[in-house]
């Protein structure tokens, strides 16, 4: 298979994974619907940067290190799960608070905060790097051309940031926002419960691996 064919195959596999519902989707959609479209796009960029970090680490062979030192992988799982639970608690606690949303940007802090929240959420799940490494191992040739080494992180950023930009645009539209404001407490509590469940599942997976 040509380098172009390999690249397209890997991007297609990663796109399917990115579109699967998970903590990243919950975070980006909630940021977009409760803050602003710019915040949602900042969160999408955070997801893209997080994907690039995982891609680079997978190419660098971090998965071999994690398989050699199982305790490190378990520690990353538990720490990542704890971070997701922390986000869930914050979402749940703010569920009953009134919220005013608009397309105006209130200073420069909010987009930066949205970016960092999304980036840390993306990096909180060490299973993602295993997914990346598995796809790379299955589809990359034994000797990886320099062109692919350069192209893969760029492609990962486009896939991750592109998909979550679509999510940000969709959930920052007027109709989703009206629905959110009408049922904010229930939506936030549901989002918090989902996030907490994902975090606890990650923690339990780490503990059971001991």
């Amino acid at each position: 298979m040509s380098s172009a064919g390999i690249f397209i195959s890997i991007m297609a596999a990663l796109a399917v994974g990115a579109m699967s519902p998970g903590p990243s989707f919950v975070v980006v959609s909630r940021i977009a619907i409760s803050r602003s479209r710019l915040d949602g796009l900042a969160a999408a960029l955070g997801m893209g940067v997080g994907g690039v970090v995982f891609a680079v680490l997978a190419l660098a062979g971090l998965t071999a290190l994690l398989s050699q030192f199982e305790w490190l992988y378990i520690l990353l799982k538990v720490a990542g799960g704890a971070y997701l639970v922390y986000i869930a608690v914050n979402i749940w606690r703010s569920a009953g608070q009134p919220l005013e949303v608009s397309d105006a940007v209130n200073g420069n802090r909010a987009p930066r905060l949205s970016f960092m929240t999304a980036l840390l959420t993306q990096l909180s799940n060490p299973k993602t790097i295993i997914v990346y490494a598995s796809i790379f191992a299955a589809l990359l040739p034994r000797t990886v051309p320099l062109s692919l080494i350069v192209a893969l992180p760029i492609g990962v950023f486009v896939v991750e940031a592109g998909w979550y930009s679509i999510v940000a645009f969709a959930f920052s539209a007027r109709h989703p926002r009206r629905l959110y404001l009408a049922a904010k407490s229930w939506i936030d509590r549901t989002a918090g419960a989902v996030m907490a469940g994902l975090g606890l599942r990650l923690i339990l997976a780490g503990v059971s691996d001991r």
Side-chain angles (χ1 to χ4, degrees), residues 143-167:
T143 302
V144 183
L146 179 60
S147 59
L148 275 178
I149 293 177
V150 173
L152 282 173
I154 297 173
V156 166
F157 178 81
V158 171
V159 167
E160 294 279 355
W163 164 245
Y164 287 110
S165 292
I166 294 173
V167 173

Side-chain angles (χ1 to χ4, degrees), residues 52-65:
V52 170
V53 171
F54 278 133
V56 171
L57 291 177
L59 287 170
L62 179 64
T63 47
L65 180 66

Side-chain angles (χ1 to χ4, degrees), residues 23-24 27 54 71-88 117 119-128 194-207:
S24 298
V27 166
F54 278 133
W71 63 268
L72 179 59
Y73 184 45
I74 293 173
L75 179 62
L76 290 175
K77 276 186 175 181
V78 173
Y83 177 71
L84 294 182
V85 171
Y86 167 77
I87 293 179
T117 300
L119 175 61
L120 291 175
T121 300
Q122 179 81 303
L123 297 178
S124 67
N125 189 356
K127 286 186 175 181
T128 305
V194 169
M195 188 69 75
L198 293 169
L200 290 174
R201 187 174 68 176
L202 194 58
I203 293 172
L204 291 174
V207 173

